[in-house]
Amino acid sequence: MPLYRFSCVDCGGFDQSFSMSTVPAAVECPACEAPSRRGFAVAGLLNTGSQAARLIEATTRTASEPAVVGAPIGRGGAPVTRNPLHRKLPRP
Ligand SMILES: [Zn+2]
């Protein structure tokens, strides 16, 4: 079941797990029991461990922490693509 992010006005955000068909628009805050509205977040969906989730996490990570490379990709190393049609594309 995915995690949903709720936000309490006094205590801040917290996560609770619901099935996608039963998730309410608001729940009680576990700390102060005040009604807390559901927010929008993708954090719960990324914890599924699937290949797509790992790809999304890796893409998100490279946006803030780009990997350091020693040479441009595709020059001197493994080819970027093996599709023969890509050889016809213009080179920079
Ligand atoms: Zn609260």
Side-chain angles (χ1 to χ4, degrees):
M1 285 191 290
L3 281 175
Y4 290 92
R5 169 66 85 177
F6 294 88
S7 61
C8 175
V9 175
D10 298 327
C11 308
F14 60 93
D15 295 326
Q16 282 195 4
S17 182
F18 291 96
S19 71
M20 295 179 85
S21 60
T22 63
V23 60
V27 296
E28 286 186 352
C29 172
C32 69
E33 299 182 355
S36 305
R37 296 185 54 151
R38 180 162 58 105
F40 295 95
V42 295
L45 296 176
L46 296 180
N47 292 331
T48 59
S50 69
Q51 186 175 8
R54 286 195 302 271
L55 177 62
I56 292 171
E57 288 175 359
T59 304
T60 304
R61 190 170 47 248
T62 58
S64 60
E65 304 167 13
V68 177
V69 295
I73 296 173
R75 292 187 183 171
V80 175
T81 177
R82 296 184 190 282
N83 187 332
L85 294 175
H86 291 170
R87 291 189 202 125
K88 296 179 182 176
L89 293 173
R91 301 287 174 196

